[in-house]
């Protein structure tokens, strides 16, 4: 009978030690999760502050002020446009009037049976 009592006491001590171990592991994991949540919160705050800073730097009024201060840009005036008669002449045509289109002639000389990567082979009528 004493052996059974000793055995039960040993099992109870083992069970208590096992439960204590499980509790400590869960505490460590809970602390880790809380630390990760805090890290995520810090990263989100950093992202939010960077977005706010970007929005401030990218504001159109700020960019306009910087452009006016540092660039020698002026608004377009009507005197800056030229008339159509001052455009250069059209380049001479290499094809004489009445001759067939040279590019069309080159396309017509291509063998239709040639298969390339961009043109699949024609299907055989069966």
């Amino acid at each position: 009978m004493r052996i059974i009592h000793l055995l039960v006491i040993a099992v109870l001590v083992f069970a208590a030690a096992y439960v204590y171990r499980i509790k400590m592991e869960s505490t460590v994991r809970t602390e880790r999760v809380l630390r990760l949540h805090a890290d995520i919160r810090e990263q989100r705050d950093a992202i939010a502050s960077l977005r706010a800073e970007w929005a401030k730097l990218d504001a159109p009024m700020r960019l306009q002020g910087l452009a006016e201060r540092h660039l020698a840009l002026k608004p377009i005036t009507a005197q800056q446009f030229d008339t159509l008669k001052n455009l250069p002449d059209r380049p001479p045509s290499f094809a004489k009037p009445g001759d067939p289109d040279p590019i069309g002639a080159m396309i017509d000389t291509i063998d239709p049976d040639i298969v390339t990567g961009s043109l699949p082979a024609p299907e055989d009528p069966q």
Side-chain angles (χ1 to χ4, degrees):
M1 206 56 174
R2 288 185 178 199
I3 294 177
I4 292 176
H5 287 176
L6 289 175
L7 202 67
V8 169
I9 290 172
V11 168
L12 287 175
V13 168
F14 178 75
Y18 185 70
V19 168
Y20 180 75
R21 182 175 160 228
I22 289 174
K23 181 186 178 223
M24 291 306 293
E25 285 179 3
S26 69
T27 302
V28 168
R29 289 184 183 188
T30 302
E31 289 175 357
R32 184 172 177 224
V33 168
L34 292 175
R35 202 174 322 123
L36 288 174
H37 281 292
D39 289 344
I40 289 170
R41 192 176 319 116
E42 287 178 12
Q43 294 297 320
R44 284 185 178 164
D45 290 344
I47 289 170
S49 66
L50 288 174
R51 283 187 178 162
E53 186 176 345
W54 177 258
K56 180 183 170 188
L57 294 175
D58 200 29
M61 294 302 293
R62 180 184 170 277
L63 294 176
Q64 173 102 19
L66 288 174
E68 290 173 355
R69 192 174 337 145
H70 298 290
L71 299 176
L73 299 177
K74 295 179 182 174
I76 296 175
T77 61
Q79 289 81 18
Q80 292 175 322
F81 294 108
D82 204 357
T83 59
L84 291 177
K85 65 180 179 182
N86 291 334
L87 288 176
D89 292 334
R90 188 176 190 168
S93 177
F94 295 108
K96 296 177 183 173
D99 287 347
D101 183 21
I103 296 175
M106 289 172 42
I107 292 173
D108 289 341
T109 59
I110 295 175
D111 188 11
D113 295 333
I114 292 177
V115 177
T116 64
S118 60
L119 297 174
E123 295 180 15
D124 292 331
Q126 294 179 5

